[in-house]
Amino acid sequence: MNETHCLGIDLGTSNSALTLASLDERVLSVLPVTQAFGPHSVGEQAGLPSALYLPNEGEFEDDAFSVPGLDSTKPGFVGRFAREHGAQSPDRLVTSAKSWLCHGQIDHRQPILPWGSISVPTEQKVSPLTATQRYLEVLKASVAPLESTQVVLTVPASFDEAARQLTLEAAQAAGLGDVILMEEPQAAFYAWLEKMGGDWRSHVKPGDLVLVCDVGGGTSDFSLIAVSDSGGELQLERVSVGEHILLGGDNLDLALAFALRAQIEAEGASIDDWQFLALIHSARVGKEQLFSDLSLPEVPIAVPSRGSSLFAGTVSTTLGRDLLEQIALQGFLPLTAPSDMPQTKAAGGLKEFGLDYAADPVLSKHLARFLKRSLDNVRSSETLSAQLSAEALSGELLAPSAVLFNGGFFNADPARARVLELLRSWSSAEVRELAGSDYALAVAQGACYYGLSKLSGKGVRIKAGASRSYYLGLETTMMAIPGFKPPVKGICVVPQGMEEGTEAVLGDQEFGLVLGQEVSFRFFSSTARAGDAVGTVLPNAEKELEETAAVQTVLEPVEGLTAGEAIPVKLHSCVTEVGALELWMQHTRSDARWKLEFSVRTE
């Protein structure tokens, strides 16, 4: 099929968006998303709140939320009214499905959302996979038929392989076909390239290190892109990605609501739990007003009641600029030292199970941790170190020379100014902003721009490859010792940056492969060991690496080989054009070989 259009989809934790362009015109158009504005009310707006509301039986008429192009028999409704109405009944509202996709301790196909709800029976709940599919179905219904359209769908750079595969599965179930996955910070950078046009080269220079700082409603995502010279041409390479951090603008809204409730109580009034939910919404609106109009000293905050009269029991207060900046800047973005790292969770024996929210709300510390880990990663590789200036490598943290902001959190000028001030305090180097992007829509726009470049074969490309190094777990062969468990070694099979369509052979090393019975292959990864080459062996994978996946399988023996016997094999790894890791195990005494496979790629 010859694609003539590209659709960029930003599948956000809090909000999603669509951008479409044709190869002929190459003009990026943000598409309005058709969704429920209320019972029997359908409208369009730029963006889709990533929220699914599951009504109580009899709460609405059966056909109250019929949206063109969607299956009206599926329970619940998605979008603006789902979020607004769900604020009053949060135990029936599904949010953060994207974050649940990367939760490693749940079955993502089981109906568990809304999490912890006792008002929604289990048979009426949905899985994180189903919720993601529902959001994508609404987005797809707002687009013309996709027969000739390349779809690029964004995910956090920090998503692991399981979460990426689940996202692909949801996209296919929603009818989007074979989509390309792209890291969100890279998409934001592509959007900036599109805005700058041919002039982008005048804004960066060889040796520059660009921090993409993406803070949305529910998550924070960091990446670093290095600028180097290659034969007189500027080259871009993604050199580091951060962890998946559940911390964002929603945390700020909640903090403001708590402060405003204390303010209301100090004024002699009080609010109940339902009114507090409305206060969170009002705090968000007030925050956006103050940050968008810096001349306003304060904005009114009104919290309604559920009385019969519109104004019965209404509680009023104000959100002042001083309070907003105290919480936003001093609470979330204080000027911390480069050695200040995020607090870790207390090692309690029993805790409430749920999303792994960040224990420390200070974004400054999370950014410092990312830059510290990135410095360790770059220093481990001579190739990466050679691309950066001595100034970038000389401090306690890797020092970016430019910042590209993304996410609704940075619609606020003071928030961007504080991050720049923070980075300058950590380094003697000047740090500048790469301005010009739309913080709310850049990811969808960048995904679309990349898709057009891929279809046409023209345009700037960011060199990326595998975002981390991958390792296969090896059982240690040693004599049994009471009370001692032999460590699991890790052998590098894919080094960080290994590109699609390339392969590697692990030298002359031989390993024992067990055939004819169920065995488990454990895969590990690291974002801080760029210097490890194929064949590098680490003595304790469980201590030094992050476990990524486990594959249970039975490898059938061929003629002449005995089941249960460990036979000598050599390893051969390949990252295919579609981003799958193929690990081949070649018998050294015959032509027999076996294959393991899983995905390691995001564009």
Side-chain angles (χ1 to χ4, degrees), residues 211 222-224 240-242 366-374:
L211 167 66
F222 306 125
S223 284
L224 286 167
S240 183
V241 299
H366 289 283
L367 180 55
R369 174 176 164 82
F370 166 67
L371 295 175
K372 175 65 172 68
R373 289 172 61 87
S374 298

Side-chain angles (χ1 to χ4, degrees), residues 224-240:
L224 286 167
I225 296 174
V227 183
S228 60
D229 182 279
S230 177
E233 291 290 329
L234 290 182
Q235 178 174 289
L236 303 169
E237 180 174 358
R238 188 259 287 121
V239 297
S240 183

Side-chain angles (χ1 to χ4, degrees), residues 546-571:
E546 174 187 347
E547 186 155 8
T548 299
V551 178
Q552 279 79 35
T553 188
V554 176
L555 300 177
E556 296 298 333
V558 295
E559 185 177 354
L561 299 178
T562 305
E565 178 185 359
I567 65 169
V569 295
K570 289 185 177 181
L571 300 182

Side-chain angles (χ1 to χ4, degrees), residues 23 34 47 55-56 62 109 137 169-170 178 185 219 222 247 305 315 388 408 434 439-440 501 517 555 569 571 574:
L23 268 175
T34 305
N56 198 6
D62 291 342
R109 294 176 174 80
E137 286 172 345
E169 186 176 332
D178 294 327
T219 58
F222 306 125
L247 176 65
S305 75
V315 179
L388 305 181
L434 299 182
Y439 306 112
Q517 65 185 47
L555 300 177
V569 295
L571 300 182
C574 172

Side-chain angles (χ1 to χ4, degrees), residues 100-372:
W100 282 103
L101 285 183
C102 62
H103 196 302
Q105 305 302 320
I106 65 165
D107 185 340
H108 305 89
R109 294 176 174 80
Q110 289 299 310
I112 60 172
L113 303 179
W115 179 257
S117 174
I118 59 174
S119 65
V120 181
T122 300
E123 63 271 15
Q124 295 179 15
K125 290 185 177 183
V126 297
S127 68
L129 182 64
T130 298
T132 303
Q133 177 186 336
R134 293 290 301 278
Y135 303 153
L136 290 171
E137 286 172 345
V138 175
L139 294 168
K140 177 179 178 291
S142 297
V143 188
L146 299 173
E147 285 83 1
S148 59
T149 303
Q150 172 67 73
V151 180
V152 180
L153 176 61
T154 64
V155 294
S158 53
F159 253 21
D160 61 19
E161 285 58 51
R164 293 172 182 176
Q165 288 294 94
L166 288 164
T167 305
L168 286 172
E169 186 176 332
Q172 291 172 348
L176 291 171
D178 294 327
V179 305
I180 294 173
L181 293 185
M182 160 162 278
E183 294 174 5
E184 289 165 3
Q186 283 195 62
F189 197 91
Y190 278 120
W192 179 79
L193 290 173
E194 192 274 333
K195 290 285 185 182
M196 295 298 103
D199 191 45
W200 73 271
R201 293 173 179 82
S202 65
H203 294 274
V204 293
K205 62 184 183 301
D208 268 341
L209 183 64
V210 181
L211 167 66
V212 183
C213 191
D214 184 354
V215 180
T219 58
S220 297
D221 206 4
F222 306 125
S223 284
L224 286 167
I225 296 174
V227 183
S228 60
D229 182 279
S230 177
E233 291 290 329
L234 290 182
Q235 178 174 289
L236 303 169
E237 180 174 358
R238 188 259 287 121
V239 297
S240 183
V241 299
E243 303 165 284
H244 194 67
I245 306 171
L246 297 184
L247 176 65
D250 293 346
N251 298 70
L252 174 56
D253 298 341
L254 183 61
L256 289 172
F258 276 116
L260 289 171
R261 183 169 69 177
Q263 189 172 288
I264 289 170
E265 291 172 348
E267 295 166 355
S270 63
I271 60 174
D272 60 24
D273 292 342
W274 178 87
Q275 287 175 303
F276 182 72
L277 296 174
L279 182 59
I280 297 173
H281 175 74
S282 297
R284 177 179 60 81
V285 174
K287 171 196 72 177
E288 292 171 352
Q289 289 177 326
L290 286 174
F291 275 148
S292 62
D293 186 350
L294 298 181
S295 67
L296 292 175
E298 62 182 24
V299 293
I301 299 291
V303 183
S305 75
R306 287 189 280 188
S308 57
S309 170
L310 178 62
F311 299 101
T314 296
V315 179
S316 299
T317 188
T318 59
L319 173 58
R321 182 170 300 280
D322 289 344
L323 177 62
L324 173 61
E325 294 192 354
Q326 176 187 351
I327 294 175
L329 302 184
Q330 298 305 323
F332 287 86
L333 284 170
L335 295 175
T336 56
S339 58
D340 290 342
M341 296 289 118
Q343 296 178 4
T344 56
K345 291 181 173 65
L350 190 67
K351 68 175 184 177
E352 188 176 48
F353 190 75
L355 287 175
D356 190 22
Y357 292 108
D360 195 323
V362 181
L363 274 167
S364 308
K365 296 180 181 179
H366 289 283
L367 180 55
R369 174 176 164 82
F370 166 67
L371 295 175
K372 175 65 172 68

